[in-house]
Structures are given as structure tokens and as C-alpha cells.
């Protein structure tokens, strides 16, 4: 496994490189967004780790540019920005996870493993899931509602698929978090709310009948009745 780290704090960068190598993950580091893309052309990477506040192109610009040509490689944001809007901005442009500084290196390692595991997971064998006028094609990774194609990010698609497979059962934030990230950290629970809002806007916004529902105090479920 090999990671490319965008981090302008030289001390932190060296600490992350040293830790990841101790966990058998090679890591190259760059200190500004423009150098990031020059380095990316020189080698093949399994995951990108991006700080937001860096010189030249910031981490959000780098993430957005990556996603114009690469929708598969996991992107983990490492940043001191902790507001929910900052997370929404990152997820909207294609980030897969978001870790707020300061963080424990063990948590960084677990997040990386979870993202790599998800990115290499086999495709769902059942081709199509149909719930009312919602159609999820798990072979082509496409979603339609009332015949109209809905563009989802990989994580949005994953969340919708988890809810669809539950077939009307209520899933807690923790249950969803464990299935998507394979971790148990509370910091992921607000992330679930962000993703639910994202897919509601895409799936339910223009339809009178809402499919993505909340059971207060328990979690989320799809309206299959």
C-alpha cells in the first residue's frame, strides 16, 4: 500500500510518514497543491491524504481536481477545520472521509484501512434493487428515480445501498457508520447526518413522496410500504 500526503507542516508530515511506514504503508509527502500533481504523475498511489490549508492549490481544490479524472482512489481529508460546513464542502467535491486535527495516529491508520478495504470490495451480486420508483443498479452503480438518472458520489451510493438492503428496517447512525467506515469513532456520526442530507436532496427533493425517512432517536430507513 502506498499513500500520497499533502501536508505543509513539516514536523507533522515526517511523523505521519514515520508512523505509516511502521505500519507497512509507504508514504510520499508534498507541501503544496501544485507539487502534489507533479508527484502524482511519478508513481501509483492507493490513497490520498489531504490537508486543506496548504500553499498554492488548497486541499479542497486538489480533491476536486482529482475527482475530475479519478473517482476510485480514496481521499481522506486531514484538517483542523471542524465545522459541519467544512465537512459538507469536502464530501460534496468527492472526499471519502474527514479526520480533524489533532488526531491519534492509530485512528488515522484504521481510517486508511477502512477506506482501502471499501475501495477493493467486490461488487454486489444482485443486479437491481427496486423500491417503489427508485431503482438501484448494483452492477452498473447507477441510481434512477422515476426513470431519471441521479448522480451520487461513491459514499452517497454506499449509504443509499445500505438503507435499501435494510428493506425498511431502521438503521442507527452507529450501524451505518460501521458498515461504511468499519470504525466506531463518534466523530463519524455527524458525518452520517451530512450524507443523509446529501442523498435526500438528490433522491427526494423533487418528489412529493419521500423515501428517506428518520425515526427520531433511532435512525434512518427507506419508505418501502
Amino acid at each position: 500500500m502506498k499513500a500520497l500526503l499533502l501536508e505543509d507542516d513539516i514536523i507533522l508530515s515526517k511523523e505521519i510518514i514515520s508512523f505509516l511506514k511502521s505500519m507497512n504503508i509507504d508514504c510520499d509527502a508534498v507541501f503544496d497543491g501544485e507539487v502534489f500533481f507533479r508527484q502524482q504523475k511519478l508513481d501509483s498511489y492507493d490513497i490520498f491524504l489531504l490537508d486543506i490549508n496548504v500553499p498554492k492549490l488548497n486541499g479542497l481544490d486538489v480533491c476536486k481536481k482529482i475527482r475530475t479524472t479519478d473517482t476510485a482512489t480514496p481521499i481522506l481529508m486531514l484538517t483542523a477545520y471542524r465545522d459541519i460546513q467544512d465537512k459538507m464542502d469536502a464530501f460534496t467535491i468527492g472526499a471519502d472521509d474527514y479526520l480533524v486535527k489533532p488526531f491519534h495516529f492509530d485512528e488515522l491508520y484504521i481510517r486508511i484501512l477502512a477506506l482501502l478495504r471499501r475501495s477493493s470490495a467486490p461488487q454486489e451480486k444482485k443486479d437491481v434493487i427496486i423500491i417503489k420508483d427508485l431503482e438501484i443498479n448494483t452492477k452498473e452503480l447507477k441510481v434512477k428515480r422515476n426513470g431519471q438518472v441521479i448522480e451520487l458520489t461513491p459514499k452517497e451510493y454506499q449509504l443509499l445501498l445500505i438503507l435499501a438492503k435494510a428493506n425498511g428496517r431502521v438503521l442507527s447512525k452507529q450501524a451505518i457508520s460501521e458498515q461504511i467506515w468499519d470504525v466506531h469513532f463518534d466523530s463519524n456520526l455527524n458525518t452520517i447526518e451530512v450524507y443523509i442530507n446529501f442523498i435526500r436532496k438528490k433522491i427526494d427533493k423533487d418528489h412529493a413522496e419521500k423515501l428517506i425517512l428518520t425515526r427520531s432517536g433511532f435512525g434512518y430507513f427507506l419508505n418501502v410500504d
Side-chain angles (χ1 to χ4, degrees), residues 135-164:
E135 179 181 310
I136 304 172
N137 189 315
T138 60
K139 185 176 182 179
E140 298 180 1
L141 304 181
K142 291 183 178 179
V143 175
K144 295 180 181 179
R145 184 160 186 195
N146 197 26
Q148 298 296 313
V149 175
I150 299 172
E151 298 295 335
L152 298 177
T153 67
K155 276 292 184 292
E156 290 169 355
Y157 172 83
Q158 215 171 356
L159 174 54
L160 181 63
L161 186 60
I162 288 170
L163 292 172

Side-chain angles (χ1 to χ4, degrees), residues 49-113:
L49 312 175
L50 308 179
D51 185 16
I52 292 179
N53 189 20
V54 295
K56 307 292 179 64
L57 289 176
N58 67 40
L60 293 177
D61 291 333
V62 169
C63 178
K64 188 174 183 179
K65 187 174 180 179
I66 290 170
R67 287 300 184 232
T68 62
T69 58
D70 178 359
T71 60
T73 304
I75 297 175
L76 172 57
M77 309 303 294
L78 307 176
T79 174
Y81 298 138
R82 60 180 61 246
D83 289 346
I84 193 69
Q85 185 60 51
D86 296 320
K87 293 184 179 182
M88 291 180 68
D89 291 342
F91 290 132
T92 298
I93 60 176
D96 295 289
D97 203 353
Y98 193 103
L99 187 57
V100 176
K101 299 177 181 177
F103 52 81
H104 294 289
F105 284 171
D106 286 339
E107 181 174 357
L108 171 63
Y109 176 66
I110 292 173
R111 297 283 187 99
I112 289 173
L113 289 188

